[in-house]
Amino acid sequence: MSKIGVMLCGHGSRSQAAVDQFAVLADKLPALLPQDWMVDYGYLEFANPVIRVGLDNLREAGCERILAVPGMLFAAMHAKNDIPSVLNAYGAEHGIQVDYGRDLGVDAKMIAAAAERVETAVAKANEEQGEVPLHETCLVVIGRGASDPDANANVSKIARMLWEGMGFGWCEVGYSGVTFPLVEPALEQAAKLGFKRYIVFPYFLFTGVLIDRIYGFTDMVAAANPQAQWIKADYLNDHPLVLETFAERITEILEGKNDMNCGLCKYRTQVLGFEAEVGAPQESHHHHVEGQGASAPGSNVEDCELCDTFCTGACRLDAAHDHSHDHGHSHDHDHDHGHGHSHDHGHHHPAYPHADHPMGPESVRKHLKDE
């Protein structure tokens, strides 16, 4: 049997607290895996160590086969393009087998972990502010938001499972970036429904700039709507069921059950509104921010010329409209995740088709200091 190493591939963050929490996850994961498996981790952007450093550690320790998984909730561009591109290049360079697993996805264990976070927030609110029936409570689930409609739709599915399973009076879904509705407009729409209590639940793994954004906008909307209770639930973090799901994603690679859900993948199927991205090349888009560290530009609100108390995402306004560019290089490769082709190409980011949606990135324009 080949010596097996496990590589946990994180996104990375400009928040040191988020980086620290991801490292704790990597520390706890070995207890759920065979004792002779070595576990390491790395980040795609901003934070250190970068992914190739973790891969180096495993290879130099004698691992002959590496089982890699994206440390992410859903499969969007990072999980489908960026990470496998890094892994494929590394495997080819060093002649080592690197097998790639799937995202956490919509899973019963993940839903149970999310429900526990929401239940804890409800119980605390009942204790501190008096009991409010769930049918008089609106749940607001906030996901990451991506340029991939399939990943965004998974947030809505998680929200519906929580809503129907727990019996909330209503549920709204929002996103922290890229797509719509963003956090503030989602909360403002929910406030119009007139519920006595709102539970705002970030469906995120770890803390960071985006959690600060979610909680910051929650405080802002709560101040404008004091007639209701606004409760901030905790994110998933290292919940035991999250750890169990990660362990399952790793071990299922050996069973050949690690295919991502590509039925509605915009790179394989002509998804409504994203038809131009079918067959897009698989490549990493994050070389320019790899390993910058958690003190990268944008990590400190106090240094930001656009925001006051938390990151509103205002700095992304121009990028949302013009996310298509070419870095002037080309290379040839095959897809391990499998978009099913290989060819020369320039480094290209397709523009998000609804960048001008009034409930998307444009909704933060009113918070610009000079407008």
Side-chain angles (χ1 to χ4, degrees):
M1 290 289 292
S2 301
K3 182 175 181 180
I4 290 178
V6 173
M7 183 66 201
L8 194 59
C9 304
H11 178 276
S13 174
R14 292 170 293 175
S15 165
Q16 187 60 49
V19 174
D20 293 342
Q21 288 180 1
F22 190 89
V24 169
L25 172 69
D27 287 340
K28 292 184 176 182
L29 195 55
L32 301 177
L33 298 170
Q35 290 185 353
D36 57 341
W37 289 12
M38 181 177 175
V39 177
D40 216 310
Y41 68 98
Y43 303 100
L44 181 66
E45 62 180 5
F46 298 123
N48 287 298
V50 298
I51 290 174
R52 66 174 179 272
V53 170
L55 293 170
D56 282 341
N57 293 339
L58 295 174
R59 181 174 55 84
E60 292 168 3
C63 294
E64 301 167 278
R65 184 180 184 184
I66 296 175
L67 309 180
V69 291
M72 298 171 186
L73 291 166
F74 301 121
M77 184 174 67
H78 295 313
K80 293 178 180 178
N81 284 346
D82 300 314
I83 293 175
S85 178
V86 173
L87 298 177
N88 290 345
Y90 188 91
E93 179 183 354
H94 296 283
I96 188 170
Q97 182 176 353
V98 182
D99 296 310
Y100 188 46
R102 61 190 175 106
D103 53 298
L104 294 170
V106 180
D107 184 281
K109 290 185 289 297
M110 296 300 296
I111 294 168
E116 188 171 316
R117 295 294 190 237
V118 174
E119 287 167 352
T120 298
V122 170
K124 183 178 180 181
N126 285 341
E127 180 181 349
E128 296 178 352
Q129 302 185 42
E131 189 162 343
V132 175
L134 286 183
H135 66 263
E136 296 180 11
T137 302
C138 178
L139 175 66
V140 184
V141 177
I142 305 294
R144 169 62 181 91
S147 60
D148 192 312
D150 191 28
N152 295 333
N154 282 334
V155 178
S156 291
K157 186 165 186 177
I158 292 289
R160 177 62 192 183
M161 298 291 279
L162 294 172
W163 176 12
E164 186 169 354
M166 301 177 72
F168 283 99
W170 198 258
C171 181
E172 293 287 328
V173 176
Y175 302 89
S176 67
V178 184
T179 189
F180 61 90
L182 291 192
V183 180
E184 186 180 24
L187 295 175
E188 289 175 338
Q189 287 294 107
K192 296 175 183 178
L193 299 174
F195 280 88
K196 292 183 178 179
R197 173 182 288 169
Y198 294 87
I199 304 292
V200 181
F201 171 51
Y203 192 69
F204 278 66
L205 284 174
F206 307 110
T207 189
V209 173
L210 301 183
I211 293 295
D212 293 342
R213 181 179 302 169
I214 293 166
Y215 290 160
F217 277 125
T218 298
D219 290 340
M220 189 178 295
V221 174
N225 296 274
Q227 72 281 3
Q229 298 176 15
W230 294 84
I231 310 300
K232 293 177 282 190
D234 201 2
Y235 46 90
L236 293 166
N237 206 347
D238 58 344
H239 191 286
L241 290 174
V242 173
L243 287 163
E244 287 183 25
T245 310
F246 268 121
E248 186 175 282
R249 294 295 173 267
I250 294 164
T251 57
E252 70 185 12
I253 297 174
L254 299 179
E255 303 167 5
K257 299 179 180 179
N258 54 312
D259 288 341
M260 289 184 185
N261 177 16
C262 292
L264 288 174
C265 176
K266 67 177 182 176
Y267 303 115
R268 285 176 171 266
T269 305
Q270 290 199 357
V271 176
L272 181 65
F274 295 81
E275 293 86 352
E277 297 186 52
V278 175
Q282 186 178 52
E283 60 182 342
S284 177
H285 301 136
H286 294 278
H287 303 301
H288 58 295
V289 290
E290 185 182 43
Q292 281 191 348
S295 60
S299 59
N300 302 307
V301 174
E302 56 268 25
D303 299 330
C304 181
E305 298 178 357
L306 301 176
C307 304
D308 291 316
T309 58
F310 64 92
C311 175
T312 65
C315 58
R316 301 295 299 166
L317 280 171
D318 291 338
H321 284 281
D322 186 18
H323 198 54
S324 176
H325 54 271
D326 196 312
H327 291 286
H329 66 271
S330 65
H331 46 96
D332 187 69
H333 60 260
D334 292 302
H335 287 211
D336 190 28
H337 160 65
H339 301 172
H341 69 280
S342 115
H343 56 251
D344 290 326
H345 57 83
H347 189 94
H348 182 73
H349 298 252
Y352 182 65
H354 304 295
D356 59 349
H357 194 288
M359 297 182 75
E362 281 297 310
S363 66
V364 303
R365 191 171 294 281
K366 62 185 178 184
H367 296 294
L368 293 176
K369 291 179 179 180
D370 58 350
E371 293 194 13

